[in-house]
Amino acid sequence: MNAESGRAAIGVTGLAVMGRNLARNLARHGYPVAVHNRSPARTRALIDEHGTEGTFVAAESMDDFVASLSRPRAIIVMVKAGEPTDAVIGELVPLLSEGDIVVDCGNAHYTDTRRREAALRAQGLHFVGCGVSGGEVGALLGPSIMPGGSAQSYDTLGPIFESIAARVDDTPCCVHIGPDGAGHFVKMVHNGIEYADMQLIAEAYDLLRAGLEATPAEIAKIFRAWNDGELESFLIEITGDVLSQIDDATGRPFVDIVLDEAEQKGTGRWTVQSALDLGIPITGIAEATFARALSGHADQRQPARAAFGSDVSSLGVDDDDAFVEDVRRALYASKVVAYGQGFDQIVAGSNEYGWDIDPGGLATIWRGGCIIRARFLNRIREAYDGGSPPSLLVAPFFADVIRSGIDSWRRVVSQAALAGIPTPAFSSSLAYYDGLRRDRLPAALLQGLRDNFGAHTYKRVDRQGSFHVEWAGDKKEHEA
């Protein structure tokens, strides 16, 4: 499978499901695509099964792969994040020429992307950390694409990526995010929002099942009805599919035969760690991440069930329709918090690293292709197009959503707590809203305690400056 020099417009190395489907997407759009995989059998399988979809230039060696590309070379790397990515880059770089572009379309940590971008830039090469959302179907049919890197690299990549991306209102779901690690940072936060969104959906399902004593199939109908309204989104849509699925082996609802231990690949954890570094409260995302971690601790959950029992009290639902509407409104309000917190983190990261990210542009490209695509992203775009709201929650449209849902939100969280049903994402999102709107927070006491044991000082409400009380002495205040 030797490649013919200069035939391919773009290359893909790493042909697992995502890489394979991206290569097919590119070929279907008329781009001659060089393809390579560490295992040549996977390359041959792609050509055998899909070679008629477009022009593929297959290569067994990295030398032949690079030689098959026209200059400036553009190479997409689709391998496991971390050391495997570094290994591929290390193999590629000696074969490249000044101005060539290496694109990492995996879920890399943005700090790794910043390191790699700086290293390749020093060698006259462009390195692009590019978020791709939409899963294997999106990769093939049109994902949401979030490329970072230099503006010069986007001059080459932009027309290609925009042509293969999903489109909404004839607008491609792809935009240049910003320099160095901006693309992977945004994709990381996107995945954090995805964690919160799924946890909120799971909590809504749990409440509906307990409160209505309904079957999964009956709850699927509720989610499908919700998907016809304000909550329309990809995740709500597929929730109906999952809940209506019947297991072939047992005849039971599919959701009842799945082990209740959620896994994670790290992007949610990275999002929370980054938010802590930036000082941004993303409580809904954090609780969703911790809920997954808790689900996996079977060694603790089983003894806790033995010690305390696992029964829950009745939710006391008298009016099924009213309860369903309460859960819907609580879900909507909590989703607003999750997205608002995620956008706060993106703005903070952009300011920290000088990326100049356009939040409204992100809402635009997330409307199609990606996992968190939802109807209300249009409203998020409008909120940021109209200025820079200090919080998405206070933008007029979303403030109305919160106001109309607050009573339902409080009822749902209260009922769940009394019944012993965990709703960490609903509850933390409500607490965030209450903390955000509170006139005085107990942080005043925290500062007093910090000053008492550590002389950390405090500020006053009535004059400027920092102050300290001599707690171990005469308890007199002086300016620090």
Side-chain angles (χ1 to χ4, degrees), residues 225-384:
W226 287 352
N227 199 51
D228 289 333
E230 297 171 314
L231 284 174
E232 179 190 351
S233 68
F234 174 69
L235 287 171
I236 294 288
E237 176 188 344
I238 65 172
T239 298
D241 294 341
V242 172
L243 290 178
S244 61
Q245 180 76 3
I246 299 298
D247 176 52
D248 286 339
T250 64
R252 297 170 60 195
F254 168 78
V255 73
D256 287 345
I257 59 90
V258 177
L259 185 66
D260 60 335
E261 296 179 14
E263 299 178 355
Q264 52 185 307
K265 291 187 176 180
T267 46
R269 184 168 62 250
W270 295 345
T271 306
V272 176
Q273 290 167 340
S274 166
L276 289 170
D277 291 337
L278 293 168
I280 301 299
I282 56 165
T283 52
I285 296 170
E287 288 296 345
T289 305
F290 292 138
R292 290 197 190 190
L294 175 63
S295 76
H297 280 280
D299 58 329
Q300 293 180 320
R301 292 174 59 198
Q302 193 283 327
R305 287 195 297 272
F308 308 117
S310 60
D311 292 340
V312 298
S313 302
S314 169
L315 284 166
V317 175
D318 296 322
D319 184 329
D320 287 0
D321 291 340
F323 179 70
V324 169
E325 179 61 10
D326 275 351
V327 174
R328 187 193 69 82
R329 289 174 180 265
L331 175 58
Y332 195 9
S334 297
K335 281 166 68 77
V336 171
V337 169
Y339 281 72
Q341 291 177 346
F343 274 85
D344 286 348
Q345 183 173 359
I346 288 169
V347 170
S350 179
N351 292 338
E352 175 72 15
Y353 299 111
W355 287 331
D356 196 25
I357 296 172
D358 173 22
L362 297 183
T364 298
I365 68 169
W366 286 349
R367 293 180 304 157
C370 78
I371 302 301
I372 63 170
R373 59 186 183 264
R375 177 188 293 190
F376 79 164
L377 282 163
N378 280 319
R379 297 295 191 173
I380 295 177
R381 182 186 60 183
E382 291 169 5
Y384 283 104

Side-chain angles (χ1 to χ4, degrees), residues 421-435:
I421 298 173
T423 55
F426 274 8
S427 302
S428 63
S429 299
L430 178 59
Y432 173 84
Y433 157 78
D434 280 330

Side-chain angles (χ1 to χ4, degrees), residues 14-35:
L15 300 176
V17 173
M18 287 292 289
R20 175 189 180 99
N21 282 1
L22 269 181
R24 292 174 61 197
N25 190 352
L26 288 160
R28 288 176 171 192
H29 281 83
Y31 298 101
V33 185
V35 288

Side-chain angles (χ1 to χ4, degrees), residues 15 44 61 73 79 83 106 159 169 174 193 202 272 355 362 365 385 401 438 473:
L15 300 176
R44 285 192 289 267
S61 72
R73 302 179 183 96
V79 300
E83 292 182 3
D169 299 331
C174 174
I193 295 171
V272 176
W355 287 331
L362 297 183
I365 68 169
D385 285 350
V401 170
R438 188 78 179 272

